[in-house]
Amino acid sequence: MKKTKLPGENISLKTKKSEDPLIMLWLNSQSNLMDSLRYLVENEIAVNGVRNLQAFVPMERSRLQGSSALQQGSEIRSPLTGEEQLSAAIAEVSAAVTAPIPDPKASPVVEEEIDDDDIEAWS
C-alpha cells in the first residue's frame, strides 16, 4: 500500500533516460525546483481540483516535440514582475480550462517501473 505523504516529508523524483530536452531545459532553468513544481500543482488543483492526474494523462504525448519552445528556451529571459507573473498565471489557467480533457479509456495509463536505486531526492 502506498504511504501517505505528510507535510515536511521528502518526495523523490527521477527523470527518464529518454526525457524530452525541453523538460530537461525547464528543470535546469528553475532556481527553486520544488517551488516551481508546487506552483504547477497549485494550478492543477485550482483548475481541476484534487484528482489522480494519471487517470487523465495520455500514454503517448508529443506536445513538446517539434515546438518552437526549444528555440525560445535557449533565450535568457529577465525575471517577470509581479504583474507579469499574475498575467502569465491567468493565461496558463485559462488555457488549461479550455484544453480538451483526454479520455482515459482511449489511452490506458501505463506506469513506468522505477528502481529504488535510481531515485535521487531533489531539493
Side-chain angles (χ1 to χ4, degrees):
M1 175 144 191
K2 189 174 177 181
K3 181 185 172 197
T4 301
K5 305 288 185 230
L6 298 173
E9 287 186 346
N10 290 331
I11 60 171
S12 298
L13 301 171
K14 180 180 183 279
T15 59
K16 296 177 184 176
K17 290 184 175 149
S18 61
E19 199 67 74
D20 188 292
L22 283 173
I23 292 176
M24 296 311 302
L25 181 62
W26 184 90
L27 289 171
N28 290 314
S29 298
Q30 306 310 304
S31 58
N32 184 332
L33 179 59
M34 287 310 298
D35 198 46
S36 297
L37 291 173
R38 187 174 296 106
Y39 172 76
L40 295 175
V41 171
E42 289 168 355
N43 282 343
E44 163 63 15
I45 292 170
V47 172
N48 298 306
V50 175
R51 64 182 182 164
N52 179 4
L53 190 56
Q54 281 301 294
F56 301 93
V57 173
M59 187 169 60
E60 301 252 345
R61 301 186 298 269
S62 59
R63 182 185 283 180
L64 297 179
Q65 296 171 351
S67 73
S68 61
L70 183 57
Q71 296 167 344
Q72 295 172 354
S74 62
E75 298 172 5
I76 297 174
R77 299 181 192 158
S78 60
L80 299 177
T81 65
E83 189 173 308
E84 290 170 331
Q85 288 178 345
L86 180 59
S87 295
I90 291 170
E92 287 178 25
V93 171
S94 297
V97 168
T98 58
I101 298 173
D103 181 2
K105 294 177 183 171
S107 55
V109 176
V110 176
E111 292 190 24
E112 181 180 348
E113 288 189 30
I114 299 174
D115 295 330
D116 289 340
D117 295 338
D118 293 338
I119 296 175
E120 294 180 27
W122 292 355
S123 57

